[in-house]
Amino acid sequence: MPSPPPRNLLKSMGNGKLGDHQPVNSLHAAMKRHAGFPRLSASSKALVLLPLVLLAFIFFFVYPKEFELQAMMSACAPGAYAASSSSSRLGEPAVVRKPDFRLLIGVLTRVDLYERRHLLRMVYGLQLAPGNLTAHVDVRFVVCRLYKDDQRVLVPLEILAHGDVIILDGCEENLNGGKTYTFLSTVAELYADEPYDYVMKADDDIFFRLPQLVDSLGAMPREDMYYGATIPCDSMDPFRDYMAGMGYALSWDLVEWIATSEVARNHSVGTEDMLTGLWLHIGGKGKNRFNAKPAIHDYRNPVPVDQCEHEFMPTTIGVHRLKSNPRWAEVLKYFNFTAGLQLSKFYKID
């Protein structure tokens, strides 16, 4: 026996009387109306459609933009200081520009001059920021063997913090006692597997503007090259004598030759810059010589001592004889080294 229809259905089929007869079609139509989903109001429809519209928006508009954002962030990330514009196309690897050359600057200094090394690290560190130079430049501080207890603690702290100190075991702390020869011969061995194009010997009282130095060396030959400021001061002829010890550069092949030459080994003690010129003269080396004066010069005293001294210039590459902090401050101010300092609530500098 079939089950009776629902009460609400019975009420809708007549005048509420069970015995009233209704046409079969009317019965089917009523049952069809009530068998499906209930009708939704406008507000209910909006609640259902809104999430669907939001999902469609995210899928078609926001999601594709995420790839563009990632690409933009990758392009701005540090690491490669130059890349081909075509590498930005999807699927192509980034092209990193190879440095024009590799330069090692060895700053020959004394062990106890901690403050000077701190100053030089700041001065050169600011210039070595990624993208500033077209060459790879490393600055190392070169000292002879440690001979005091405090040095054996403080210098290792520097090495741990900065990793830029070379300790030469084969010399005592005396610039003209063979330190330059020991430095050059040691460098040839230390970096034999990954040689530099040039090695520069520098004093700790000279300031180099690295972009200008790199531009100048970039035009030099990579072999048999001897570069610096000629001595005597009144000479501009690089073949007359030798390059001043304030800072001169040698190509890597000359560094290797010095490391193995009996000429250099047998003439290692004496005025170091003069000896370097003597080694090259006796050995018939350094045929490519370049004088960087007047761009490399001494600090100008109130009463100049010689022609190596003159005023700072926009084209200056290096300034020597900066024996005190006030002189360093004067040079750095002239070349506007603190221009990048931002305003801050943490300091006020008039």
Side-chain angles (χ1 to χ4, degrees), residues 12-294:
S12 65
M13 291 168 60
N15 297 326
K17 298 178 181 179
L18 185 59
D20 290 345
H21 295 280
Q22 300 290 333
V24 176
N25 291 341
S26 299
L27 177 62
H28 286 176
M31 293 180 68
K32 188 175 181 180
R33 281 197 308 269
H34 291 275
F37 290 105
R39 291 184 178 182
L40 298 177
S41 65
S43 60
S44 299
K45 291 179 181 178
L47 288 175
V48 173
L49 292 176
L50 183 60
L52 296 176
V53 172
L54 183 60
L55 286 173
F57 177 79
I58 292 173
F59 184 80
F60 289 106
F61 295 96
V62 177
Y63 187 67
K65 294 293 182 181
E66 184 176 346
F67 292 103
E68 297 180 17
L69 180 61
Q70 291 175 358
M72 291 171 61
M73 293 176 66
S74 300
C76 296
Y81 66 84
S84 170
S85 59
S86 62
S87 66
S88 61
R89 291 195 293 264
L90 187 63
E92 294 187 11
V95 178
V96 179
R97 175 180 173 178
K98 183 180 179 181
D100 292 346
F101 59 88
R102 287 166 44 84
L103 168 65
L104 172 67
I105 301 177
V107 180
L108 274 61
T109 184
R110 298 198 307 275
V111 179
D112 289 331
L113 296 181
Y114 302 102
E115 181 185 355
R116 177 58 56 83
R117 288 195 292 277
H118 175 65
L119 173 61
L120 290 171
R121 283 189 183 104
M122 291 191 293
V123 169
Y124 290 131
L126 288 171
Q127 300 181 77
L128 290 171
N132 278 5
L133 305 174
T134 59
H136 178 94
V137 179
D138 288 324
V139 179
R140 299 290 182 264
F141 298 97
V142 184
V143 299
C144 286
R145 64 170 61 97
L146 311 181
Y147 60 95
K148 295 192 298 187
D149 289 341
D150 62 311
Q151 295 173 350
R152 296 187 183 97
V153 175
L154 299 181
V155 174
L157 281 179
E158 284 187 81
I159 295 173
L160 287 171
H162 306 289
D164 58 2
V165 177
I166 297 176
I167 301 175
L168 305 175
D169 281 338
C171 70
E172 300 295 337
E173 200 58 78
N174 187 330
L175 183 59
N176 293 322
K179 185 174 182 179
T180 296
Y181 169 75
T182 305
F183 162 63
L184 294 173
S185 58
T186 300
V187 161
E189 180 180 354
L190 290 176
Y191 299 103
D193 295 334
E194 194 175 2
Y196 290 86
D197 294 292
Y198 305 115
V199 176
M200 172 167 271
K201 176 265 168 184
D203 289 346
D204 62 8
D205 63 342
I206 188 170
F207 158 68
F208 277 116
R209 301 173 69 201
L210 295 184
Q212 286 71 22
L213 176 63
V214 165
D215 286 347
S216 182
L217 283 174
M220 301 295 110
R222 301 292 191 262
E223 295 182 352
D224 206 24
M225 199 281 299
Y226 183 31
Y227 169 100
T230 56
I231 294 295
C233 289
D234 60 354
S235 173
M236 298 295 283
D237 181 5
F239 292 91
R240 176 174 170 179
D241 244 318
Y242 57 92
M243 305 299 178
M246 64 176 85
Y248 55 84
L250 300 164
S251 56
W252 182 256
D253 61 307
L254 292 182
V255 175
E256 290 183 313
W257 175 79
I258 290 170
T260 58
S261 170
E262 292 294 330
V263 173
R265 185 179 298 109
N266 295 333
H267 300 83
S268 62
V269 178
T271 305
E272 63 90 17
D273 50 2
M274 184 183 298
L275 286 177
T276 302
L278 179 65
W279 302 336
L280 300 179
H281 175 72
I282 295 176
K285 301 290 184 178
K287 292 183 173 60
N288 297 312
R289 301 192 179 199
F290 297 90
N291 172 33
K293 291 192 311 188

Side-chain angles (χ1 to χ4, degrees), residues 300-318:
R300 188 180 187 278
N301 289 293
V303 179
V305 176
D306 52 43
Q307 295 183 36
C308 288
E309 299 180 18
H310 60 75
E311 300 285 352
F312 311 139
M313 307 179 299
T315 55
T316 289
I317 294 175

